[in-house]
């Protein structure tokens, strides 16, 4: 897999220690919910994925989701160039699934949105499977792969990704 470490994407340090998770039932998949540039998946545009992940971390840590998070809310972030960014990483409680739902599943963000780039390409789907396998191997994630909307009132992760999850979240 093409793992991008926190040092490589110039992540800010978390403002306090993560709550440790020994294991989870599995993984929940998310999308950004906003507009993602329609041409983000173009081969030359990966630098913009890095910018986007930095923006999301900044937004989460500055209180854009209502409270200031100690770090980006996701454990991993996947982009349409088959790269997987380390967010909080394995064995850390995420802050993306909704209150009371974070200890059950790791949170993985796919860089697609509700407008612009809305359809995951094959590289993004492969990166998501890479992230799921990584969290199983390094974070004792269980077999479940679900969407944010499972158990929480949200459109996340969007219909195209949710269809893929319901179809078994397999490599294309
Ligand atoms: Zn979500
Ligand atoms: Zn990318």
């Amino acid at each position: 897999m093409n793992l991008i470490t926190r040092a490589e994407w110039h992540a800010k340090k978390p403002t306090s220690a993560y709550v440790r998770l020994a294991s989870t039932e599995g993984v929940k998949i998310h999308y950004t919910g906003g507009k993602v540039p329609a041409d983000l998946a173009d081969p030359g545009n990966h630098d913009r994925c890095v910018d986007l992940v930095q923006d999301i971390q900044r937004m989460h840590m500055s209180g854009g989701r209502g409270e200031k998070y100690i770090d980006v809310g996701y454990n991993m972030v996947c982009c349409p160039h088959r790269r997987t960014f380390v967010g909080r990483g394995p064995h850390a409680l995420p802050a993306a699934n909704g209150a009371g739902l974070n200890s059950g599943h790791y949170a993985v963000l796919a860089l697609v949105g509700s407008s612009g780039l809305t359809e995951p390409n094959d590289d993004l789907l492969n990166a998501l499977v890479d992230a799921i396998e990584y969290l199983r191997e390094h974070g004792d994630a269980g077999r479940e792969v679900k969407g944010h909307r499972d158990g929480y009132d949200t459109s996340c992760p969007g219909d195209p990704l949710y269809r893929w999850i319901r179809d078994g979240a397999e490599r294309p």
Side-chain angles (χ1 to χ4, degrees):
M1 75 187 292
N2 291 307
L3 198 67
I4 303 181
T5 65
R6 292 177 64 91
E8 284 167 340
W9 66 268
H10 304 291
K12 286 189 199 139
K13 284 200 184 110
T15 55
S16 65
Y18 304 133
V19 174
R20 186 183 155 82
L21 276 186
S23 64
T24 68
E25 301 298 312
V27 172
K28 283 188 174 172
I29 307 291
H30 298 256
Y31 74 165
T32 72
K35 183 178 166 70
V36 169
D39 62 354
L40 186 73
D42 288 2
N45 281 348
H46 178 66
D47 284 355
R48 295 168 69 183
C49 299
V50 180
D51 292 345
L52 198 49
V53 173
Q54 290 170 344
D55 287 348
I56 292 165
Q57 186 192 32
R58 206 173 299 124
M59 186 268 284
H60 283 184
M61 293 180 78
S62 67
R65 285 282 171 84
E67 60 175 296
K68 289 185 179 176
Y69 292 176
I70 59 170
D71 190 5
V72 65
Y74 306 100
N75 298 92
M76 319 281 290
V77 181
C78 297
C79 86
H81 307 95
R82 200 172 172 172
R83 308 276 166 78
T84 302
F85 296 73
V86 178
R88 297 190 183 195
H91 289 303
L93 183 74
N97 296 333
L101 298 169
N102 287 308
S103 59
H105 297 82
Y106 290 119
V108 175
L109 173 67
L111 291 186
V112 291
S114 53
S115 66
L117 181 66
T118 58
E119 293 278 344
N121 66 9
D122 285 358
D123 278 342
L124 177 53
L125 296 178
N126 273 311
L128 286 170
V129 178
D130 291 341
I132 291 163
E133 290 177 347
Y134 182 89
L135 288 166
R136 286 175 180 161
E137 186 178 344
H138 298 279
D140 279 312
R143 301 302 301 174
E144 289 184 357
V145 180
K146 292 188 166 187
H148 188 186
R149 66 174 70 172
D150 291 313
Y152 191 84
D153 182 19
T154 173
S155 61
C156 183
D159 289 341
L161 265 180
Y162 194 63
R163 221 174 292 124
W164 174 75
I165 293 165
R166 295 303 296 263
D167 286 346
E170 289 174 351
R171 290 195 186 276

